[in-house]
Amino acid sequence: GAGVSQSPSNKVTEKGKDVELRCDPISGHTALYWYRQSLGQGLEFLIYFQGNSAPDKSGLPSDRFSAERTGGSVSTLTIQRTQQEDSAVYLCASSSRGSWDRGGGYTFGSGTRLTVV
Amino acid sequence: GENVEQHPSTLSVQEGDSAVIKCTYSDSASNYFPWYKQELGKRPQLIIDIRSNVGEKKDQRIAVTLNKTAKHFSLHITETQPEDSAVYFCAATLNTGGFKTIFGAGTRLFVKA
């Protein structure tokens, strides 16, 4: 697609429920990243996928968080047994090799605002 | 792993004045340093970037400087305008086969008219 698409844009869930957040990167982008942004805070790295390599999961805050990237394209971030502290905006970004060689960095999606009540 | 520190957390300037945001990074292997601007309720947007083989880069009213030895880099905005008001994030990217980027905590810039 023309940009990075994320769905849903907003999600309200009850504490203890599982949620799935979806990211559809720019077509042809080999790298996909998930970040979390709590209200008024910075961008916290969660996980990234690069091509067919094993993902870098070093930023996932607990084992309740997991992510998959199927077919090298769409990614799903799953949060199990949600807690109130999981409330944040979850941002996805993608990039191609060319993004770094030519400059341009990441392209971010609009994010999913997750509220756990 | 990489750690990026950013200062100040909040910056208020008068329209027309300059604004400077400073960042430090910890991993000397980081080789690409983008800056993002995030307006309220919107996604971060890249505004300028610099590579480790360059000391300074300028784009109209925005300039970035990089001191590899000290592991410092800075964003300079001249002739600030109210529409420059936003949160600015610095970042450091490590090329480990992929491109893992760690962001600073952000600087909230207010430009007063």
Side-chain angles (χ1 to χ4, degrees), chain A residues 4 33 35 37 40-43 45 48 50 56 58 91 95 97 99-106 108-110 113, chain B residues 32 34 36 38 41-46 49 51 89 93-106 108:
Chain A
V4 178
Y33 310 79
Y35 287 83
Q37 188 172 33
Q41 300 299 309
L43 295 160
F45 168 78
Y48 94 95
Q50 174 62 50
D56 180 336
S58 59
L91 287 162
S95 70
R97 175 74 197 216
S99 300
W100 305 105
D101 294 341
R102 297 188 304 269
Y106 293 165
F108 279 93
S110 296
R113 183 175 298 278
Chain B
Y32 173 73
Y36 288 83
Q38 187 176 31
K42 297 188 177 180
R43 73 190 80 183
Q45 300 268 17
L46 180 75
D49 53 16
R51 299 188 181 283
F89 293 98
T93 299
L94 196 60
N95 182 352
T96 58
F99 300 93
K100 180 177 177 180
T101 296
I102 300 299
F103 287 82
R108 189 171 297 275

Side-chain angles (χ1 to χ4, degrees), chain A residues 19 21 32-36 43-49 54-69 75-80 85-86 90-91, chain B residues 100 102:
Chain A
V19 295
L21 313 180
L32 185 148
Y33 310 79
W34 284 98
Y35 287 83
R36 178 168 72 174
L43 295 160
E44 177 188 5
F45 168 78
L46 297 178
I47 185 171
Y48 94 95
F49 299 86
D56 180 336
K57 304 180 181 180
S58 59
L60 294 178
S62 77
D63 58 9
R64 297 186 294 104
F65 289 73
S66 62
E68 290 185 339
R69 189 179 185 192
S75 177
T76 302
L77 177 69
T78 301
I79 309 173
Q80 296 178 310
E85 60 262 29
D86 299 334
Y90 289 81
L91 287 162
Chain B
K100 180 177 177 180
I102 300 299

Side-chain angles (χ1 to χ4, degrees), chain B residues 71-91:
Chain B
K71 291 187 277 189
H72 288 175
F73 57 117
S74 300
L75 176 73
H76 303 251
I77 306 174
T78 58
E79 300 172 25
T80 53
Q81 300 168 2
E83 53 264 38
D84 294 330
S85 296
V87 178
Y88 292 81
F89 293 98
C90 64

